[in-house]
Amino acid sequence: MKKITALLAFALLVLSSHIVSAEEQKKVTLKLPPASIGQWYKPENKRQVWLHVMFNLRREMQAIALYSASGEKELMIKWAEKLAKDYNKAAELVPEWKADIQPELADKLLQAAKASDLKEVGNIQRQLGSQCRDCHDTYRAITVAMYRAPDFSEISVEDEENMELLDMLDTMENLSMTLNQVVIGIADQKFDTAQLAQEKLLHKLTTLGQVCENCHTDNRAKEYLLGPLNNERFKKLAVLLDQKESSEAGKLVGEIAVTVCARCHGIHRTSADMRDELFR
């Protein structure tokens, strides 16, 4: 009996260790970028300086490979000079990364291009590409969350129905519930309820759109989600509900959910959720 008990205890110990091990494997550790990179992103800087340097480097690497393959030496040198300048600039912008960036590699690439040593050009480009990928794998997602994701924490939206200001999370929850009220009303043939809910939904989206204008100063951004096309959808929805056309009304509500909710979430929600997880 004691032997069986001991075996059971051992089995439980092994099982629990596997459970802990499995849980530990699910953990993700994110390495924060140096704080100095923050000064090269908005709003600390008027321009997205770091992003533009990265875009330049990608273009320059592509051009060098193109002209190396075609044997156009002068153009290869032209782009290698640009690469050396921008690669060194990256090391200056974030000095904590200088050792990892190894700016001397870009200078060696330029010298190899001038010497028409295409094999060395290719070797150095592969080294540079590997460094870029390693850095992106480690820092790109976390940097996007920290410096490129919208911060909705200070934004409030007026809920006229309850005469109160809601934060963005509660505003989204409110919108979701109102949209579902339309869907539930259609599903249960309660068209008066659905009609009232769709009127509230349109009003709430219009109010939200006015808040969005504080950042989206270009009307095209707002119109993409809340412009004339969706206003027409709401007008058509009101007619369909009045006619008790449940099938077509349901399809139209789905269109509104995709063109407004899903598109906005696709633009903002993932990165904003990552930011919230990091800073809450």
Side-chain angles (χ1 to χ4, degrees):
M1 184 67 181
K2 288 182 179 180
K3 187 176 181 180
I4 294 174
T5 303
L7 286 172
L8 285 172
F10 178 73
L12 287 171
L13 179 62
V14 171
L15 180 60
S16 64
S17 69
H18 279 299
I19 293 172
V20 171
S21 177
E23 288 300 318
E24 288 177 348
Q25 289 176 1
K26 292 179 182 178
K27 292 180 181 178
V28 176
T29 301
L30 298 176
K31 190 174 181 180
L32 295 177
S36 62
I37 199 173
Q39 65 187 304
W40 308 118
Y41 283 94
K42 293 180 179 180
E44 295 298 317
N45 202 291
K46 291 182 179 180
R47 297 178 68 248
Q48 304 282 29
V49 175
W50 182 259
L51 282 180
H52 287 297
V53 172
M54 294 298 104
F55 295 155
N56 288 344
L57 289 172
R58 180 170 57 189
R59 188 179 306 113
E60 289 151 6
M61 288 279 282
Q62 182 177 339
I64 292 168
L66 174 67
Y67 293 123
S68 173
S70 65
E72 297 176 75
K73 179 179 178 180
E74 294 305 316
L75 288 173
M76 179 175 61
I77 292 172
K78 167 190 169 181
W79 286 95
E81 288 174 342
K82 290 177 179 288
L83 177 73
K85 179 182 177 182
D86 285 321
Y87 202 70
N88 279 279
K89 184 176 181 179
E92 294 169 4
L93 293 177
V94 185
E96 296 92 336
W97 280 345
K98 188 170 184 178
D100 296 320
I101 290 174
Q102 298 180 36
E104 65 274 7
L105 279 177
D107 297 327
K108 289 180 180 179
L109 177 62
L110 176 57
Q111 296 308 313
K114 289 180 177 179
S116 296
D117 189 344
L118 301 185
K119 182 177 180 181
E120 184 66 5
V121 168
N123 288 336
I124 297 174
Q125 276 207 288
R126 281 188 287 275
Q127 291 182 59
L128 290 171
S130 178
Q131 287 185 348
C132 293
R133 285 190 295 274
D134 288 346
C135 186
H136 289 171
D137 288 346
T138 304
Y139 293 111
R140 183 163 58 184
I142 190 72
T143 303
V144 167
M146 292 176 69
Y147 300 111
R148 294 279 285 158
D151 181 7
F152 295 113
S153 62
E154 301 298 323
I155 298 177
S156 297
V157 181
E158 185 176 1
D159 178 22
E160 295 182 2
E161 186 177 3
N162 298 308
M163 298 301 293
E164 61 181 342
L165 289 175
L166 301 178
D167 62 23
M168 191 56 76
L169 187 62
D170 286 339
T171 297
M172 293 297 109
E173 183 68 21
N174 196 314
L175 282 169
S176 178
M177 291 180 69
T178 307
L179 176 66
N180 279 327
Q181 285 174 3
V182 180
V183 176
I184 292 167
I186 293 172
D188 294 335
Q189 304 286 299
K190 293 188 174 184
F191 294 103
D192 289 343
T193 300
Q195 187 74 273
L196 179 61
Q198 76 89 21
E199 291 171 2
K200 287 182 179 179
L201 180 62
L202 177 58
H203 183 74
K204 291 175 188 291
L205 286 172
T206 302
T207 302
L208 176 62
Q210 293 167 355
V211 175
C212 294
E213 287 175 353
N214 293 327
C215 291
H216 293 289
T217 54
D218 186 340
N219 284 334
R220 288 176 298 179
K222 177 185 171 183
E223 288 177 359
Y224 176 65
L225 300 177
L226 303 171
L229 282 176
N230 263 313
N231 285 334
E232 288 301 316
R233 288 187 178 97
F234 272 99
K235 289 179 182 178
K236 185 177 179 181
L237 177 60
V239 172
L240 289 171
L241 291 174
D242 187 56
Q243 295 173 347
K244 297 179 171 51
E245 292 282 351
S246 58
S247 178
E248 290 303 313
K251 290 178 183 178
L252 197 52
V253 173
E255 282 186 32
I256 292 170
V258 169
T259 55
V260 180
C261 307
R263 284 180 181 175
C264 182
H265 288 176
I267 296 167
H268 289 306
R269 184 172 179 175
T270 301
S271 57
D273 284 349
M274 287 177 62
R275 182 188 179 97
D276 289 344
E277 286 294 321
L278 286 168
F279 299 111
R280 67 180 179 179

